[in-house]
Amino acid sequence: MSATSGFISGNADESRSLVVVFLRGGADGLALVPPLGDDDYQKARPRLRVTEREGVKLDGFFGLHPHLKPLQPLYAEGQLAVVTGAGSEDTSRSHFEAQDLMEHGGTAGGGWLGRFLRYRPATNEGKKPQNSALSAIAVGKELPECLRGAPAASVMQSIDEFSLGAGAARFSSQLQKLYAAEENDLGAAGRDTLDALRRIEQLRKTPYSTASGAVYADDDFAQGLRQIARLIKARVGLEAASIDLGGWDSHFTQSTLIDPLMLRLGAGLAAFTRDMGRWMDSTTVVVMTEFGRRLVENASFGTDHGRASVMFVLGGGVRGGQVLGRWPGLQSGVLDGPGDLPVTTNYRNVLAPILRRHGMGDDMRLVFPRFLVEPINLYT
Amino acid sequence: MTISRRRFLQVGGAVVAATVGCDRLPDSVLELYSRGEPELDPFQPPASGSMDLVAHALNRLSFGARPGDYTRIRHLAPVPDAAFEAYLDEQFRPRDIDDSIAERAVRRFESLNAPAGELFEYKEDFLLGEMTSAALLRAALSERQLYEVMVQFWTDHFNIDSSKGDCRWLKAADDRLVVREHALGKFPDLVRASALSPAMLWYLDGRVNRVAGDSGGGPNENYARELLELHTLGVQGGYTQKDVMEVARALTGWIVRAKKESTFRLGSVEFAAALHDDGTKVVLGHTIPAGQGPRDLFHVLEIVSLHPSTAQHIATKLCRRFIADEPPLAATRAVARAFLESDGDIRVTLRALFGRSEFVASRGNKFKRPFNYVVSALRATGARTDAGAQLTDFLLRMGHAPYQYPTPDGYPEEASPWLGTLLWRWNFAVALTENRIAGTHVDVPGLTRAAGGDVGLMSHMLGRKPTSAELAAYAGSGAGLALILASPAFQMA
């Protein structure tokens, strides 16, 4: 690699990638990771509950929904940690308000991921604050709020969008000559960009074959993860990727709505992890949602907007194989507002240690202003 | 206006029609296209091997040269230096410049002129879209280029991220009543307008800055600190934490009617005496006596707006914008002096800056920020555009979409944070010249003809004759215009 590869990957010496999966609509943490051993849970959800027999055992108390079974081996191998009682301080129970607050990291300008990308270099002595064109991508059609304010953020559905067109080869060889003659930062940036272009062109030409027999399903979520895996492995400088899995707003006939989503979530993450193999050492996947659902199911086989849900953290160094966070129980005195699982771990306290691992310095206020971060013990 | 649909499609509108539907095309797009594909008038590009002062001014004081701009300005006087002076005279009187084309192009954005309270009737995404398109169109089309450049400068200096709270609605009013109103006016007027701008009160929490009391709360220092650190004195400006706290106390009690709490007089700024700390304050050694109520704010601004540290801070930022990322101290000091002697008259201050030898000598050494790059490309190619989402997407991808910078320091002016955006610039160059950006159209053969051929086209784009390496790359690339737009020289201004 060239001496100036810092232009391509802001963290070139130790390239790490963070993948943020947002479950839009308020995913029911009590369905994803049911407290199998809690009688109050079993009583409150006579029709929607996951029984002790059905649940995929995690730790003797919590289990996974059977549709998330593909995650069980990752948990058992210690790659996956579950955080129970996770959520934000927002009590509006409004999708917009709660997503907005969570993605902005408080009432602040820009998104937490965008601010992280912008300020991470400045918090590291001696590192230049450059970011590559591909340092941040959002898989989908629009930029999520969490990436607002990023130094460069690309919304994409496929790497084909990065092409310089039909005459790319001729065109870039001429650019090569002009930038080679520039003996300044611009010249170095140009040469690094040409290097990234070559890798992307290489990618486009080579059919992608997944590793270890991993198979991605045809749904958008799995295909998006596949694109992300491909870019990470091609080392184009991808530092952060965002991908949504929407449709969790299960007021009505919850299981018909979220059963397929859970299947996609579990299978997608399992395929990604398998495909990535050792690359997972330098990758973190975090799964979050704006809020959970009310404990008591409603009359139409659904659940209404609640407070705490769960987060999943998957990747290198994670103290996996554990359910982190405090379980307060479900007695009526414990429940929040109209009967919701209270938030015992603020989502920022889960993200902060992840951002530290991804190169953020001490000053976490740049990412989470006006919040005293108390990071959970996510890493060994 | 008469235009047949057939004629519209012939002139390159097919891509637009495909995306927005022909029946719903905004008037200004039709208007732009309805001029058809008028042959550009032949123009004389710069003929010197190095940039003269006119080419330099077009790079630095405007968003870049359009076909014909150089010729017009060069002929304002017999020699380039005098032509430059004449151009300055013209640009310093923006109201005397006919700007009907730009005004017509943004007329469809009704929200731009809506009173603050009415802005809440719009969807926030729609507002941001209108503001963004208008910023692009004004930069690209306005004849009042120096004014628009200064609008961009002050937008960064008094940065407000439109995604915070009610700024979603109120930034549009801030843009009109603060930044655009005073961009070439008096700095103290600009600071005062900003201090009482509902969007700024939201963005830096001034609206929740209140006297400590029964209701809990207590001063919120956010705006006070940024007022001193960013808007006026500068971080090395010689103020203390105590000064920040005293300024915060003096500014307590200014509230904004918020969307969440109120339904009437939304966005209006009011002084709530009960929330104001009316005791004595001492700011930078000046005593503000007790009992002055809302006058405290004006007193604080008088102390800081024309402070010598403010002069040096503003001068340094202006010199960074117009001379170099690391501006020479002699220049910043002289510009600061002009600022003080003129009581913060922005025109006088700029006039002093543009007269400095350091300005004259600093040709082509500033890396264009992405917005400036995109606009300079649109201008240089004579592109017709609706400044729609397809175009503004490129700004997002390069991290430089207007009104979306998260923190109060505004988008950085220096090159280094932007060097990672080359890939998207090249992508843009290719997409623009291949007419693959819906709603934007370039007539490459017509432009080349008007410039008198390939060498003339390159000279126009670069502000000087091309080097032999540039000539060879242009010829060998298979896409000469895109190559020039992607070349190192065109990244600089």
Side-chain angles (χ1 to χ4, degrees), chain A residues 7 96-97 100 104 107-111 115 118-119 129-134 143 145 148-156 161-167 170-171 174-175 178-179 182 185-186 189-191 193-194 196-197 200 366 370, chain B residues 124 128 161 163-165 168 202-203 205 222 260 367 396-399 404-407 409 411-412 416-424 426-427 429-430 434 436 469-470 472-479 482-483 486-488 491-492:
Chain A
F7 286 113
F96 172 75
E97 298 277 332
D100 203 53
H104 284 193
T107 307
R115 285 195 302 275
R118 206 172 270 280
Y119 301 120
Q130 278 90 6
N131 289 75
S132 103
L134 297 178
L143 194 71
E145 286 297 314
R148 271 224 198 277
S154 304
V155 181
M156 58 145 249
E161 295 165 34
F162 297 117
S163 168
L164 285 182
R170 261 180 95 185
F171 189 74
Q174 295 303 325
L175 278 180
L178 291 182
Y179 280 89
E182 298 281 319
D185 285 353
L186 175 58
R191 291 190 291 277
T193 306
L194 285 158
L197 259 179
I200 295 165
L366 291 169
R370 292 179 290 288
Chain B
E124 52 268 43
L128 180 59
D161 183 325
S163 72
K164 178 170 173 178
R168 289 179 180 87
W202 255 98
Y203 181 57
D205 305 320
N222 198 10
K260 266 190 197 167
F367 188 63
L396 270 179
R397 290 175 160 183
M398 296 185 230
Q404 295 196 37
Y405 189 75
T407 49
D409 47 340
Y411 282 112
S416 62
W418 302 113
L419 287 169
T421 57
L422 286 176
L423 180 54
W424 282 115
W426 300 348
N427 239 291
V430 173
E434 290 183 354
R436 285 197 280 107
E470 285 162 344
Y474 180 97
S477 68
L483 190 280
S487 72
Q491 312 313 308
M492 309 300 289

Side-chain angles (χ1 to χ4, degrees), chain A residues 182-325:
Chain A
E182 298 281 319
E183 292 174 357
N184 49 22
D185 285 353
L186 175 58
R191 291 190 291 277
D192 284 339
T193 306
L194 285 158
D195 195 41
L197 259 179
R198 266 190 297 276
R199 288 171 201 237
I200 295 165
E201 289 299 325
Q202 197 63 39
L203 272 186
R204 283 155 39 77
K205 275 189 235 144
T206 329
Y208 181 61
S209 50
T210 58
S212 314
V215 178
Y216 290 96
D218 280 336
D219 61 89
D220 287 349
F221 179 66
Q223 288 303 312
L225 288 173
R226 182 172 175 274
Q227 295 281 354
I228 292 169
R230 198 176 177 189
L231 283 169
I232 291 173
K233 291 193 206 174
R235 293 194 298 151
V236 294
L238 186 68
E239 295 181 68
S242 155
I243 181 169
D244 285 355
L245 181 56
W248 298 85
D249 195 16
S250 49
H251 293 277
F252 182 77
T253 58
Q254 171 155 319
S255 71
T256 56
L257 288 174
I258 73 169
D259 282 5
L261 297 178
M262 286 190 284
L263 287 168
R264 263 175 245 165
L265 178 66
L269 292 178
F272 180 79
T273 311
R274 187 179 185 90
D275 180 22
M276 290 284 284
R278 289 302 303 275
W279 288 92
M280 282 307 285
D281 293 349
S282 55
T283 302
T284 307
V285 182
V286 59
V287 182
M288 58 204 290
T289 184
E290 70 263 32
F291 48 62
R293 319 291 302 185
R294 189 142 311 151
L295 169 61
V296 177
E297 63 189 44
N298 65 24
S300 42
F301 299 86
T303 53
D304 297 310
H305 298 182
R307 295 277 282 119
S309 185
V310 291
M311 289 173 76
F312 297 103
V313 186
L314 184 60
V318 169
R319 217 158 56 91
Q322 312 199 46
V323 179
L324 303 168

Side-chain angles (χ1 to χ4, degrees), chain B residues 179-387:
Chain B
V179 177
R180 298 188 68 80
E181 180 67 25
H182 299 287
L184 278 178
K186 299 276 169 60
F187 183 73
D189 297 341
L190 180 54
V191 180
R192 198 158 43 238
S194 169
L196 289 174
S197 163
M200 186 58 84
L201 282 158
W202 255 98
Y203 181 57
L204 291 177
D205 305 320
R207 68 188 187 93
V208 294
N209 177 26
R210 46 199 60 174
V211 63
D214 302 340
S215 59
N220 180 312
E221 291 172 17
N222 198 10
Y223 176 72
R225 180 177 309 283
E226 306 306 5
L227 173 69
L228 301 186
E229 177 182 328
L230 298 173
H231 299 171
T232 60
L233 305 174
V235 70
Q236 309 293 342
Y239 60 92
T240 64
Q241 170 59 24
K242 179 74 179 158
D243 288 318
V244 172
M245 293 162 73
E246 292 287 280
V247 169
R249 284 181 60 220
L251 302 184
T252 46
W254 291 95
I255 58 171
V256 186
R257 296 265 172 179
K259 190 172 167 69
K260 266 190 197 167
E261 300 148 8
S262 182
T263 49
F264 71 107
R265 304 231 301 277
L266 277 181
S268 71
V269 174
E270 293 164 17
F271 180 75
L275 302 176
H276 180 66
D277 180 339
D278 223 7
T280 306
K281 298 106 190 165
V282 179
V283 173
L284 296 164
H286 300 263
T287 300
I288 301 176
Q292 299 292 300
R295 286 192 294 279
D296 280 3
L297 178 137
F298 303 102
H299 204 143
V300 165
L301 298 184
E302 272 168 34
I303 295 168
V304 299
S305 292
L306 294 174
H307 192 282
S309 296
T310 301
Q312 186 59 37
H313 179 52
I314 300 298
T316 303
K317 285 190 73 172
L318 286 171
C319 290
R320 184 172 297 127
R321 169 63 182 81
F322 288 109
I323 296 178
D325 285 0
E326 302 288 345
L329 200 57
T332 65
R333 286 198 174 134
V335 173
R337 211 155 41 237
F339 179 91
L340 280 181
E341 285 167 2
S342 65
D343 289 336
D345 186 313
I346 295 163
R347 277 176 244 230
V348 173
T349 308
L350 286 175
R351 176 75 81 169
L353 195 163
F354 300 142
R356 294 291 304 182
S357 58
E358 295 92 339
F359 168 79
V360 171
S362 67
R363 298 182 195 181
N365 64 325
K366 286 281 301 176
F367 188 63
K368 290 174 189 170
R369 302 191 297 171
F371 180 92
N372 303 53
Y373 169 75
V374 166
V375 174
S376 69
L378 295 171
R379 286 174 64 82
T381 56
R384 300 172 184 283
T385 184
D386 65 352

